[in-house]
Amino acid sequence: MDTGDKNADNLAIRQQWESAYKTAPADPANPGYVLEVGGWCTTSTGTCTRVLGTVMQVNISRGEGASMAYHTHGNAGKQAVGQPDGVNYEAHPSDQDVINQGERKPPSYIIGPNTIYRLERGGWDDNGNRQVKFTCLNRWTTVNACPPQ
């Protein structure tokens, strides 16, 4: 895949992201749903950690020398557990994803059904809040554009 993103185009790392998405274990408490999977990757070694979360989040602590974080959104499009009808899980970054990225220096990647979102900590806005930059990569093509939200 030639997305133009050095991390997403690193075949050793990309394979681990794809494996995390495709092999996310089912949630026994919520049939038809999978657990989020995430971790930290190191570009120099091409290795990633793998941590299991819940249907809606995964907590990953940064590894020494980590180049980036990643996690899956394997329930995108499904009814959100414990939420009113019509509230679905999304492939794009959640509010908590944005908050977490504002506290991290390395980029973070979110692997959804058809997209990979790259989040990067940006500068500060006029109110003193940390900004987060988003880039969306199509998971299956080389066109780098997010679908409409």
Side-chain angles (χ1 to χ4, degrees):
M1 186 63 59
D2 183 17
T3 65
D5 182 283
K6 68 178 181 178
N7 298 318
D9 292 341
N10 179 317
L11 295 180
I13 288 172
R14 178 67 178 266
Q15 183 57 48
Q16 291 170 84
W17 294 353
E18 295 292 341
S19 177
Y21 186 88
K22 292 175 186 173
T23 64
D27 180 11
N30 297 290
Y33 290 79
V34 295
L35 302 177
E36 283 198 8
V37 178
W40 287 92
C41 303
T42 305
T43 307
S44 61
T45 61
T47 58
C48 300
T49 63
R50 181 182 168 108
V51 176
L52 300 179
T54 67
V55 294
M56 59 188 126
Q57 69 177 9
V58 60
N59 294 318
I60 48 177
S61 28
R62 183 171 179 214
E64 189 64 35
S67 308
M68 75 211 75
Y70 78 95
H71 73 274
T72 62
H73 279 189
N75 296 308
K78 295 180 182 175
Q79 170 70 36
V81 174
Q83 297 296 314
D85 286 347
V87 177
N88 296 338
Y89 292 117
E90 304 281 350
H92 64 80
S94 68
D95 291 343
Q96 190 61 52
D97 292 330
V98 174
I99 290 167
N100 291 346
Q101 187 57 45
E103 299 170 359
R104 293 183 182 131
K105 187 172 182 182
S108 183
Y109 293 82
I110 301 171
I111 296 85
N114 297 303
T115 56
I116 297 174
Y117 283 87
R118 176 187 170 111
L119 284 70
E120 295 178 87
R121 188 170 76 173
W124 299 93
D125 67 17
D126 293 338
N127 297 320
N129 298 313
R130 175 70 74 180
Q131 296 179 323
V132 174
K133 299 185 289 185
F134 299 82
T135 304
C136 184
L137 309 170
N138 284 319
R139 198 166 148 202
W140 307 115
T141 72
T142 58
V143 177
N144 293 338
C146 291
Q149 303 298 325

